[in-house]
């Protein structure tokens, strides 16, 4: 007896001889990430241009599954689906102010009437304009609108295949509220929905605090798939004791030593010939690195192309490094980079190694102090003169000629082992792939776009908004990054392109072919998404392809049919079970049902 589950509405089965696919013998040579290598080699994606791929039939099925899970959970969470345009007028973006600041990631073009347009990198502007006029009264709010749609970002470094493409598929949701409390509730609601979505995709994720980046807003969290390779582009600091987790661009720590005193009794300029690095200085003076106030010069560039690049001098405790996203945010820059030697000399009049803010107040340099500098006493700084440093320096020694206003920012990079900001336990570090994020936007878009609702008293206010993204194509690739072995992909059952493959070992053996066909029919009838590998190839080739493609279950019909048995194998297990054909079918059906 074969158990039946409800069949899907479209035909979920396939003969391998008909499948539109090309598997490759080798990995593509332009790929670094395993997910990129495997998805190309197993025939899931085909490159059209840098960061632009065709999703082949197997990939389309995976994407549909991730989308379906996402859609079901978004609907269950009370959000409504719509679909917004991919090509958008510049006018909207000018209204929000982002046309000027979005930079080169925004793909701009002109239509035949010379109107400026862009390809959608995201939809805050459009959704705000759509809501405006329809969500007129407080009685209609809150509302959460979402869509699943192509986005285009002319990424500076498209890489890792689908993980960072230029064209990619995103689920994006936007919520509209009359109060912060209402936004808080929806933010929580979405966080819960996200946890369910990724879990149902068979992916373990961690929700981490993060920087709000170009989208703006105040609070945001990212959902990270943790990986231990550089393909995880983000560093995540986490605490095993209390659960604190944050992207390195947002993480803070309790420093082991808050009070740092160099112990120098007097303020003195000291010759330090060729002693340039923090390490050498610490040795030279026989002090700890955290008793040196380090100066690092950066060049900030701004999204608004009219604003010229600007040198920024960061003063930070000697043992600490600068976190560049934090620094960019502190100076309102698009990005920062370390200055080269010539730029240092031009900005500060001194070669690197001896730098500080001394006499820099009237120079064209913005000066920032990192929080770690606070609490330092009698320390060492550069004299801003070649081959000289000053010992016994204190904040009270700073004059108007040096720094007009001493401003502290959190711009340092946390290090593993430093204390968790919440509970003090040592922080750990790992890498992560961001598969989704949630933001509180507030009135960042509604205000400039004048998108208003009317309250109980007839007064108008801009909507308070939130936005919530999931990279559909990135999530699928992250699953491959996380689950594979030397033979190929190991798809989580929930998002596998097909559940099972049936492999007749010898297609010239009529009995084998007949039984394989029967099993195929039974699985089809039971609603299992199944491929029959009816190709006349050698069994070895078919097994290799099955492993490469990553079907969760394989039923092999070979010589053992003489004993009335077939082989059943799970992709993620070594063991092969010998079962009767019906037992094998039932095992697949049971496991697929359990995962639904
Ligand atoms: P990232 O920091 O990785 O560039 P982002 O902060 O720009 O991401 P959002 O604009 O919030 O991301 O987009 C929402 C989701 O879309 C991300 O969490 C990610 O999963 C996905 N995503 C963003 N950029 C890309 C890309 N270039 N390729 C594939 N997926 C992407
Ligand atoms: Mg981005």
């Amino acid at each position: 007896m074969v158990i039946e589950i409800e069949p899907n509405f479209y035909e979920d089965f396939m003969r391998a001889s008909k499948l539109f696919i090309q598997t490759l013998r080798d990995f593509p040579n332009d790929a670094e990430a395993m997910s990129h290598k495997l998805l190309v080699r197993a025939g899931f994606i085909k490159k059209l241009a840098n960061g632009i791929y065709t999703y082949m039939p197997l990939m389309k099925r995976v994407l549909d599954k991730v989308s379906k899970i996402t859609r079901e959970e978004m609907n269950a969470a009370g959000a409504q689906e719509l679909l917004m345009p991919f090509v958008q007028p510049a006018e909207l973006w000018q209204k929000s102010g982002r046309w000027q600041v979005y930079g080169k990631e925004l793909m701009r073009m002109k239509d035949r009437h010379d109107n400026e347009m862009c390809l959608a990198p995201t939809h805050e502007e459009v959704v705000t304009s759509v809501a405006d006029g329809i969500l007129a009264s407080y009685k209609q709010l809150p509302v959460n609108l979402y869509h699943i749609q192509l986005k285009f970002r002319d990424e500076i470094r498209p890489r890792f295949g689908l993980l960072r493409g230029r064209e990619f598929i995103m689920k994006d949701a936007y919520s509209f509220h009359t109060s912060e409390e209402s936004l808080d509730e929806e933010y929580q609601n979405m966080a819960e929905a996200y946890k369910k979505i990724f879990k149902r995709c068979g992916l373990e994720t961690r929700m981490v605090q993060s920087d709000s980046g170009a989208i703006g807003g105040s609070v945001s969290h990212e959902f990270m798939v943790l990986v231990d390779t550089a393909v995880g582009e983000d560093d995540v600091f986490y605490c095993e004791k209390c659960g604190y987790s944050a992207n390195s661009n947002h993480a803070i720590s309790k420093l082991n030593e808050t009070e740092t005193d160099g112990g120098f009794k007097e303020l003195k300029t000291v010759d330090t010939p060729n002693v340039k690095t923090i390490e050498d200085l610490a040795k030279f003076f026989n002090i700890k690195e955290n008793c040196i106030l380090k100066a690092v010069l950066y060049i900030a560039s701004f999204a608004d192309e009219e604003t010229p690049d600007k040198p920024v001098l960061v003063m930070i405790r000697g043992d600490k490094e600068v976190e560049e996203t934090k620094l960019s945010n502190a100076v309102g820059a698009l990005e920062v980079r370390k200055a080269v030697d010539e730029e240092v000399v031009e900005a500060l009049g001194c070669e690197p190694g001896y730098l500080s803010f001394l006499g820099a107040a009237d120079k064209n340099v913005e000066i920032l102090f990192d929080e770690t500098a606070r609490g330092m006493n009698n320390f060492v700084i550069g004299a801003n003169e070649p081959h000289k440093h000053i010992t016994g320096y204190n904040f009270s020694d700073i004059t108007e000629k040096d720094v007009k206003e001493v401003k502290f920012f959190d711009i340092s990079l946390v290090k593993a082992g430093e204390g968790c900001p919440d509970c003090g336990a040592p922080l750990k570090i790992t890498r992560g792939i961001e598969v989704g994020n949630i933001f509180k936007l507030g009135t960042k878009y509604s205000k400039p776009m004048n998108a208003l609702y009317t309250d109980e008293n007839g007064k108008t206010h801009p909507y308070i908004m939130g936005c919530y993204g999931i990279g559909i194509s990135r999530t699928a690739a992250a699953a491959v990054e996380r689950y594979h072995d030397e033979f190929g992909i190991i798809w989580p059952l929930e998002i596998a392109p097909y559940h099972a493959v049936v492999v007749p070992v010898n297609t010239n053996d009529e009995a084998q072919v007949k039984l394989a066909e029967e099993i195929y029919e039974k699985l089809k009838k039971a609603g299992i998404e199944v491929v029959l590998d009816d190709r006349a190839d050698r069994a070895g080739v078919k097994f290799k392809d099955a492993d490469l493609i990553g079907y969760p279950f394989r039923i092999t019909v070979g010589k053992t049919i003489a004993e009335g048995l077939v082989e059943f194998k799970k992709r993620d297990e070594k063991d092969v079970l010998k079962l009767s054909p019906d037992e094998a079918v039932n095992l697949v059906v049971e496991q697929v049902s359990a995962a639904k």
Side-chain angles (χ1 to χ4, degrees):
M1 239 295 279
V2 167
I3 321 161
E4 286 189 21
I5 51 177
E6 201 181 317
N8 290 319
F9 64 90
Y10 61 97
E11 295 193 337
D12 269 332
F13 43 85
M14 193 74 210
R15 285 173 187 274
S17 58
K18 298 271 189 300
L19 183 61
F20 182 67
I21 185 175
Q22 181 188 38
T23 55
L24 307 176
R25 193 200 288 250
D26 298 308
F27 286 135
N29 45 25
D30 65 340
E32 298 164 67
M34 263 329 273
S35 61
H36 185 190
K37 292 181 182 178
L38 284 167
L39 287 172
V40 172
R41 190 172 152 204
F44 284 74
I45 57 175
K46 193 167 159 79
K47 182 172 165 179
L48 180 67
N50 203 12
I52 304 178
Y53 295 87
T54 296
Y55 306 112
M56 304 294 270
L58 288 180
M59 193 69 215
K60 175 68 168 58
R61 294 181 63 88
V62 174
L63 294 173
D64 280 353
K65 290 192 176 184
V66 178
S67 301
K68 180 169 183 277
I69 291 169
T70 304
R71 189 170 275 130
E72 284 172 4
E73 293 301 334
M74 289 302 290
N75 292 346
Q80 294 179 57
E81 185 171 4
L82 42 54
L83 186 57
M84 291 179 276
F86 179 55
V87 178
Q88 307 181 352
E91 213 186 324
L92 265 183
W93 288 75
Q94 280 152 354
K95 238 178 161 179
S96 74
R98 279 210 288 188
W99 185 256
Q100 296 78 0
V101 302
Y102 208 101
K104 290 191 172 160
E105 260 186 43
L106 185 65
M107 185 85 167
R108 301 159 207 246
M109 63 209 172
K110 283 191 176 155
D111 70 11
R112 68 198 297 160
H113 303 295
D114 239 15
N115 297 314
E116 288 203 281
M117 314 286 284
C118 63
L119 298 183
T122 174
H123 283 76
E124 281 80 9
E125 280 77 3
V126 172
V127 80
T128 305
S129 78
V130 167
D132 188 28
I134 297 178
L135 298 176
S137 155
Y138 71 97
K139 289 184 199 155
Q140 295 166 283
L141 299 170
V143 165
N144 187 338
L145 303 172
Y146 78 96
H147 72 168
I148 297 178
Q149 148 82 290
L150 276 182
K151 310 255 173 173
F152 193 93
R153 294 181 184 175
D154 205 354
E155 295 273 357
I156 184 164
R157 267 187 301 275
R159 56 180 186 167
F160 302 152
L162 300 189
L163 289 172
R164 183 166 299 283
R166 292 200 292 163
E167 187 179 281
F168 58 97
I169 302 173
M170 198 202 292
K171 185 285 299 176
D172 221 356
Y174 305 90
S175 67
F176 300 84
H177 307 268
T178 59
S179 68
E180 288 292 338
E181 294 71 48
S182 168
L183 171 60
D184 285 350
E185 262 175 46
E186 189 59 15
Y187 193 81
Q188 278 312 319
N189 183 33
M190 282 295 108
E192 292 311 315
Y194 273 36
K195 287 178 193 162
K196 289 183 195 154
I197 291 168
F198 294 120
K199 191 157 177 247
R200 282 187 61 193
C201 288
L203 273 175
E204 211 179 303
T205 53
R206 189 183 277 263
M207 176 169 154
V208 313
Q209 298 175 18
S210 74
D211 164 57
S212 305
I215 282 197
S218 49
V219 178
S220 73
H221 286 85
E222 292 164 344
F223 286 76
M224 295 281 188
V225 171
L226 303 184
V227 289
D228 51 13
T229 63
V231 169
E233 292 182 290
D234 294 277
D235 281 331
V236 175
F237 288 97
Y238 65 98
C239 171
E240 276 179 338
K241 193 162 162 225
C242 74
Y244 170 85
S245 304
N247 190 312
S248 60
N249 63 26
H250 194 77
I252 50 173
S253 63
K254 274 195 188 127
L255 290 179
N256 308 335
E257 294 136 288
T258 44
E259 187 76 16
T260 43
D261 196 320
F264 297 96
K265 295 278 182 301
E266 50 172 340
L267 183 67
K268 208 162 76 176
T269 305
V270 181
D271 284 334
T272 50
N274 293 316
V275 187
K276 292 185 177 187
T277 64
I278 296 295
E279 201 186 339
D280 289 349
L281 274 171
K283 274 196 204 128
F284 185 88
F285 287 112
N286 193 23
I287 51 173
K288 287 206 236 156
E289 292 186 356
N290 63 15
C291 299
I292 303 165
L293 185 57
K294 175 165 70 174
V296 197
L297 192 75
Y298 281 86
I299 304 294
S301 58
F302 299 85
D304 169 4
E305 279 170 8
E306 253 114 79
T307 310
D309 289 0
K310 184 167 83 179
V312 177
L313 182 66
V314 178
M315 303 303 302
I316 186 167
R317 216 175 77 176
D319 59 326
K320 298 289 291 178
E321 302 299 327
V322 175
E323 208 297 317
E324 296 187 357
T325 303
K326 289 183 180 177
L327 176 58
S328 301
N329 290 345
V331 295
L334 180 67
E335 54 189 16
V336 295
R337 61 166 174 84
K338 275 203 179 139
V340 297
D341 290 2
E342 295 78 52
E343 289 167 327
V344 171
V345 174
E346 192 188 322
L348 291 164
C350 174
E351 64 185 90
Y354 315 95
L355 303 179
S356 73
F357 47 74
L358 291 179
D362 292 326
K363 297 192 165 119
N364 171 35
V365 180
E366 185 166 344
I367 303 168
L368 270 65
F369 290 80
D370 179 58
E371 286 290 348
T372 54
R374 228 192 258 276
M376 289 177 70
N377 290 306
N378 306 311
F379 49 87
V380 173
I381 59 170
N384 225 17
E385 262 181 67
H387 309 289
K388 289 187 197 315
H389 282 84
I390 296 178
T391 59
Y393 199 88
N394 282 290
F395 275 89
S396 55
D397 296 322
I398 297 177
T399 71
E400 290 224 320
K401 282 188 189 150
D402 306 322
V403 186
K404 289 218 175 76
E405 191 192 344
V406 176
K407 289 179 285 186
F408 289 95
F409 293 86
D410 165 35
I411 41 183
S412 68
L413 180 65
V414 167
K415 281 187 195 157
E418 289 174 358
C420 164
D422 292 343
C423 78
L427 287 173
K428 298 206 154 173
I429 186 171
T430 180
R431 282 178 174 270
I433 298 170
E434 176 199 322
V435 285
N437 58 28
I438 54 179
F439 286 91
K440 288 187 186 172
L441 295 173
T443 56
K444 182 170 158 78
Y445 296 94
S446 50
K447 216 172 182 175
M449 295 184 69
N450 207 28
L452 311 171
Y453 70 92
T454 307
D455 72 10
E456 300 88 319
N457 307 314
K459 273 185 73 178
T460 56
H461 308 272
Y463 306 119
I464 296 174
M465 293 172 59
C467 81
Y468 320 91
I470 288 181
I472 299 288
S473 44
R474 185 184 284 182
T475 297
V480 179
E481 205 56 53
R482 193 74 188 68
Y483 305 113
H484 63 261
D485 61 14
E486 71 231 75
F487 306 112
I489 303 172
I490 306 177
W491 286 108
L493 183 55
E494 299 84 344
I495 61 171
Y498 288 93
H499 300 134
V501 62
V502 180
V503 184
V505 170
N506 180 356
T507 41
N508 295 323
D509 181 321
E510 257 176 51
Q512 285 184 23
V513 170
K514 186 164 168 274
L515 183 57
E517 291 276 355
E518 273 170 32
I519 292 172
Y520 179 52
E521 287 307 321
K522 283 183 180 170
L523 286 169
K524 274 163 65 173
K525 201 157 164 259
I528 298 301
E529 302 167 25
V530 56
V531 171
L532 174 68
D533 200 342
D534 58 343
R535 294 173 302 168
D537 289 311
R538 280 183 297 115
V541 172
K542 298 200 237 184
F543 292 157
K544 270 212 175 111
D545 275 355
D547 281 350
L548 182 62
I549 289 167
Y551 303 105
F553 305 109
R554 187 178 84 202
I555 297 178
T556 308
V557 184
K559 282 188 185 138
T560 52
I561 61 168
E563 304 143 48
L565 298 174
V566 295
E567 285 180 359
F568 170 90
K569 187 180 174 299
K570 283 172 87 168
R571 176 65 182 85
D572 60 350
E573 286 176 14
K574 279 217 149 51
D575 300 344
V576 177
L577 300 180
K578 293 216 162 82
L579 304 172
S580 77
D582 276 0
E583 277 171 343
V585 169
N586 280 341
L587 202 50
V588 174
V589 175
E590 271 163 27
Q591 304 226 8
V592 171
S593 307
K596 285 218 168 176

